[in-house]
């Protein structure tokens, strides 16, 4: 089992929001290079809201299948994410590139991004896209990521993962 501690900062126009969240993850090895993951994500608190409205974080249950071919720097993750507080669900595909033993670059895109479309063609392509970098040391992971929310702005996140 693993636990993530996340700091999230979101900016929409001139409004900003900040949150602290926790994730609980389990990882099961199916066979060499193939893993199945179950996660409960976004349990925490908004510490600075966009407005005076009291809202909660969008809690999700994630089911993921991870594939990494032996001796390849690339890996692929296919995820199904179900919001607990609404009927929303979506899929996400992540492509990762292991730069060295400690650094990994990843890029992901999700199925519900059409809600974020705005502007010209390039804006539509990057809406909902997430790019990040992870640093691993002693089975602990420090990650920074940026997600484009279309006309709504960006979310940046900093997370620390501890293997239990």
């Amino acid at each position: 089992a693993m636990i993530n501690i996340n700091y999230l900062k979101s900016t929409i126009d001139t409004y900003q929001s900040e949150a602290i969240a926790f994730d609980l993850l389990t990882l099961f090895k199916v066979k060499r290079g193939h893993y199945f993951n179950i996660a409960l994500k976004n349990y925490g608190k908004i510490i600075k809201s966009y407005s005076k409205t009291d809202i909660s974080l969008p809690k999700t249950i994630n089911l993921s299948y991870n594939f990494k071919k032996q001796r390849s720097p690339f890996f692929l993750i296919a995820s199904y994410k179900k919001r607990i507080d609404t009927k929303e669900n979506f899929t996400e595909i992540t492509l990762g590139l292991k730069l060295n033993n400690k650094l990994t670059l990843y890029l992901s895109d999700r199925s519900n991004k059409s809600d974020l479309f705005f502007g010209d063609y390039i804006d539509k392509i990057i809406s909902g896209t997430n790019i990040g970098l992870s640093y691993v040391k002693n089975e602990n992971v420090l990650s920074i990521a940026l997600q484009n929310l279309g006309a709504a702005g960006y979310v940046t996140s900093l997370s620390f993962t501890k293997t239990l």
Side-chain angles (χ1 to χ4, degrees):
M2 295 174 275
I3 191 165
N4 274 352
I5 301 169
N6 304 298
Y7 168 75
L8 307 163
K9 183 173 184 175
S10 176
T11 302
I12 298 175
D13 194 25
T14 60
Y15 301 97
Q16 291 189 354
S17 178
E18 296 177 43
I20 300 289
F22 300 90
D23 308 331
L24 182 61
L25 305 95
T26 58
L27 188 66
F28 304 98
K29 184 176 182 176
V30 177
K31 63 181 184 177
R32 187 177 192 141
H34 297 258
Y35 298 89
F36 180 71
N37 175 290
I38 300 172
L40 297 173
K41 300 191 83 162
N42 281 340
Y43 287 81
K45 178 125 178 88
I46 294 176
I47 53 179
K48 179 182 176 188
S49 181
Y50 296 115
S51 66
K52 303 265 186 242
T53 306
D54 188 25
I55 59 172
S56 60
L57 291 171
K59 296 172 182 67
T60 62
I61 296 174
N62 298 4
L63 304 174
S64 301
Y65 189 77
N66 308 1
F67 172 72
K68 183 181 183 321
K69 191 170 182 169
Q70 198 175 16
R71 293 191 277 290
S72 172
F74 295 99
F75 63 88
L76 187 65
I77 302 171
S79 302
Y80 169 79
K81 300 181 178 198
K82 170 71 177 108
R83 289 267 306 259
I84 293 172
D85 55 341
T86 67
K87 293 183 179 183
E88 181 185 9
N89 61 63
F90 59 96
T91 55
E92 184 174 77
I93 300 295
T94 302
L95 176 64
L97 173 61
K98 195 162 179 77
L99 301 173
N100 59 40
N101 286 338
K102 298 197 179 285
L103 286 175
T104 301
L105 179 68
Y106 58 91
L107 180 69
S108 64
D109 205 12
R110 61 190 195 177
S111 64
N112 65 342
K113 65 191 261 164
S114 63
D115 295 343
L116 304 174
F117 285 169
F118 78 104
D120 60 21
Y121 184 69
I122 193 68
D123 290 326
K124 290 179 181 177
I125 290 174
I126 63 171
S127 292
T129 302
N130 185 4
I131 187 164
L133 187 66
S134 292
Y135 175 78
V136 178
K137 184 170 183 176
N138 302 330
E139 295 188 24
N140 299 313
V141 183
L142 182 64
S143 300
I144 187 164
L146 176 69
Q147 183 176 24
N148 180 307
L149 296 178
Y154 291 88
V155 171
T156 52
S157 65
L158 180 64
S159 64
F160 175 75
T161 304
K162 175 73 176 164
T163 302
L164 303 175

